[in-house]
C-alpha cells in the first residue's frame, strides 16, 4: 500500500514537472513573438509616423494627395514636419495635376498650407493617364508656399524654369492653376527657342512678367525688352502674343507672332547701316 502511494506521488510530481516545463517553454516562445515596445515620443511631439499618406476627395473629386516618408506633428501646434514630400494638386477637370517635391516641408493643417524652405521641384500639368503630348513646365526654387484650398504656389526666392520653348529665371514667382496665370516677379529673363531650326533665338527681359495661358499672352511690366540677333525692341507695358502653328513635319509649335508696346523704341544693326526708331505706340508682327 505504501509502495502504491509512493508511485502515485512520483507520478504527480512528474506530471507537475512536465506542466511547468511546458508552461515555461510556451511563455518564452510568446515573449519572443511580442513586438518591441516603441520608443517614447520626444516631449515636443504629439505623434509620429513612417510612410505617411493623406488625400482629400470632396464630392468624389480628388483634390490633393500628400505623402511623406516621415511625419512628425509638433506638440501644441497645427504644424506637421515632413520628409521626402510629394504633393499632387489636381486640376478642376481631374485629368492633370501639379507635382511638388521637396526633401522636407512643414504642413500647417489649420491654415491648409505646405511650406518648403529648402529646394523644391515643381512640374505643371502632369497627365493622370498616358504620356504628356509636349514637354512639361519644370520649376526649380525654394521657400515655396502651397495653398491646399486654392492650389496656388508662391515664392520670393530665385526661381528657374524649363519649358517647351526654352528656359528662364526670375527672382520670385507664383502660379494659379485656376486662372492659369504664371507670374515671374522680378529680374526676369527668358531664352525663347524659335520653331524653325535656322531662326535666331529671342531673349526676353523684363522687370516682371505675367503669362496668361488662356489668352496666349505674355505681359512685360512695367517695361520689357526683346533681343533677336542685332534687333532690339523695348518699351513699356509690352504684350507678347503667341500662337500655335503646324510645321512641315506635322508637329505643332508655339511661336511669337506679335509684340505691342507703349513708348517703344528699337534698333536694327546691319553691316552697312544702323536703324533706330521710337514711337508712342508700336505693333510688330513676327513671321
Amino acid at each position: 500500500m505504501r509502495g502504491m502511494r509512493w508511485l502515485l506521488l512520483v507520478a504527480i510530481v512528474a506530471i507537475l514537472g512536465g506542466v511547468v516545463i511546458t508552461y515555461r517553454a510556451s511563455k518564452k516562445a510568446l515573449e519572443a513573438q511580442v513586438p518591441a515596445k516603441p520608443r517614447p515620443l520626444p516631449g515636443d511631439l504629439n505623434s509620429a509616423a513612417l510612410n505617411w499618406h493623406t488625400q482629400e476627395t470632396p464630392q468624389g473629386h480628388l483634390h490633393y494627395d500628400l505623402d511623406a516618408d516621415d511625419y512628425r506633428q509638433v506638440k501644441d501646434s497645427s504644424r506637421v514636419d515632413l520628409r521626402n514630400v510629394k504633393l499632387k494638386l489636381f486640376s478642376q477637370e481631374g485629368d492633370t495635376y501639379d507635382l511638388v517635391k521637396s526633401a522636407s516641408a512643414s504642413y500647417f493643417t489649420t491654415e491648409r498650407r505646405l511650406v518648403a524652405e529648402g529646394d523644391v521641384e515643381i512640374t505643371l500639368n502632369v497627365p493622370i493617364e498616358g504620356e504628356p503630348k509636349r514637354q512639361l513646365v519644370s520649376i526649380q526654387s525654394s521657400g515655396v508656399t502651397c495653398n491646399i484650398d486654392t492650389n496656388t504656389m508662391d515664392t520670393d526666392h530665385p526661381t528657374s524654369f524649363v519649358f517647351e520653348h526654352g528656359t528662364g529665371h526670375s527672382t520670385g514667382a507664383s502660379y494659379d492653376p485656376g486662372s492659369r496665370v504664371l507670374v515671374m516677379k522680378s529680374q526676369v529673363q527668358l531664352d525663347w527657342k524659335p520653331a524653325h531650326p535656322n531662326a535666331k533665338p529671342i531673349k526676353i527681359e523684363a522687370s516682371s512678367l505675367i503669362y496668361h495661358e488662356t489668352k496666349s499672352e505674355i505681359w512685360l511690366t512695367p517695361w520689357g525688352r526683346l533681343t533677336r540677333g542685332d534687333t532690339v525692341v523695348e518699351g513699356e507695358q509690352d504684350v507678347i502674343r503667341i500662337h500655335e502653328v503646324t510645321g512641315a513635319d506635322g508637329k505643332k509649335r508655339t511661336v511669337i507672332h506679335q509684340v505691342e508696346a507703349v513708348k517703344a523704341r528699337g534698333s536694327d544693326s546691319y553691316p552697312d547701316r544702323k536703324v533706330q526708331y521710337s514711337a508712342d505706340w508700336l505693333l510688330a508682327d513676327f513671321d
Side-chain angles (χ1 to χ4, degrees):
M1 196 69 178
R2 290 180 179 176
M4 291 292 293
R5 289 178 179 174
W6 183 81
L7 289 174
L8 181 61
L9 181 60
V10 171
I12 292 171
V13 170
I15 292 171
L16 290 175
V19 170
V20 170
I21 293 173
T22 303
Y23 168 75
R24 288 179 176 176
S26 299
K27 183 179 179 182
K28 188 174 181 180
L30 290 172
E31 288 176 348
Q33 296 175 10
V34 174
K37 292 183 179 180
R39 295 180 180 179
L41 283 172
D44 60 340
L45 296 181
N46 274 342
S47 61
L50 298 176
N51 300 319
W52 178 77
H53 174 261
T54 185
Q55 62 180 206
E56 187 175 81
T57 54
Q59 300 178 348
H61 172 72
L62 190 56
H63 179 54
Y64 75 86
D65 185 285
L66 174 62
D67 66 63
D69 289 351
D70 185 81
Y71 164 102
R72 294 172 178 267
Q73 184 179 21
V74 179
K75 195 170 186 179
D76 301 326
S77 172
S78 66
R79 193 185 89 209
V80 176
D81 292 332
L82 307 172
R83 293 191 179 277
N84 292 331
V85 184
K86 291 183 180 179
L87 171 64
K88 296 179 180 179
L89 299 169
F90 291 85
S91 64
Q92 295 178 356
E93 296 77 13
D95 56 348
T96 62
Y97 62 87
D98 297 329
L99 176 62
V100 182
K101 297 169 65 176
S102 180
S104 63
S106 295
Y107 179 44
F108 296 85
T109 56
T110 302
E111 302 170 23
R112 293 173 61 81
R113 61 186 176 95
L114 184 79
V115 179
E117 295 296 343
D119 293 340
V120 177
E121 179 183 342
I122 302 170
T123 307
L124 302 181
N125 297 320
V126 181
I128 293 177
E129 296 181 357
E131 295 296 322
K133 296 181 180 180
R134 58 185 64 192
Q135 181 179 340
L136 300 178
V137 177
S138 176
I139 304 171
Q140 302 281 343
S141 190
S142 61
V144 176
T145 297
C146 301
N147 187 304
I148 299 298
D149 286 329
T150 61
N151 287 7
T152 55
M153 291 171 272
D154 184 86
T155 180
D156 292 325
H157 291 206
T159 304
S160 61
F161 301 79
V162 177
F163 55 103
E164 182 182 11
H165 310 291
T167 60
H169 58 82
S170 65
T171 300
S174 66
Y175 179 65
D176 183 352
S179 60
R180 293 188 177 182
V181 172
L182 172 67
V183 177
M184 301 171 72
K185 296 183 179 180
S186 65
Q187 298 177 311
V188 177
Q189 179 175 319
L190 291 181
D191 294 306
W192 188 285
K193 296 185 299 184
H196 195 280
N198 295 326
K200 295 178 181 180
I202 298 176
K203 181 170 70 172
I204 301 172
E205 300 169 278
S207 177
S208 65
L209 179 151
I210 305 173
Y211 171 44
H212 294 268
E213 184 178 353
T214 56
K215 296 180 180 180
S216 297
E217 290 184 349
I218 301 171
W219 296 359
L220 309 181
T221 61
W223 66 268
R225 179 189 300 118
L226 283 77
T227 304
R228 182 172 65 176
D230 294 324
T231 300
V232 179
V233 178
E234 57 185 322
E236 298 178 6
Q237 308 302 328
D238 297 14
V239 178
I240 301 173
R241 297 185 176 93
I242 59 179
H243 66 182
E244 198 171 65
V245 298
T246 302
D249 55 3
K251 293 183 179 181
K252 293 183 177 181
R253 297 177 176 87
T254 301
V255 299
I256 295 174
H257 78 96
Q258 195 175 74
V259 175
E260 181 180 356
V262 177
K263 296 181 180 179
R265 57 190 178 275
S267 62
D268 278 310
S269 295
Y270 302 94
D272 57 345
R273 63 192 176 95
K274 184 173 182 179
V275 178
Q276 292 182 321
Y277 58 88
S278 64
D280 291 336
W281 175 80
L282 176 143
L283 185 68
D285 289 319
F286 288 70
D287 60 16

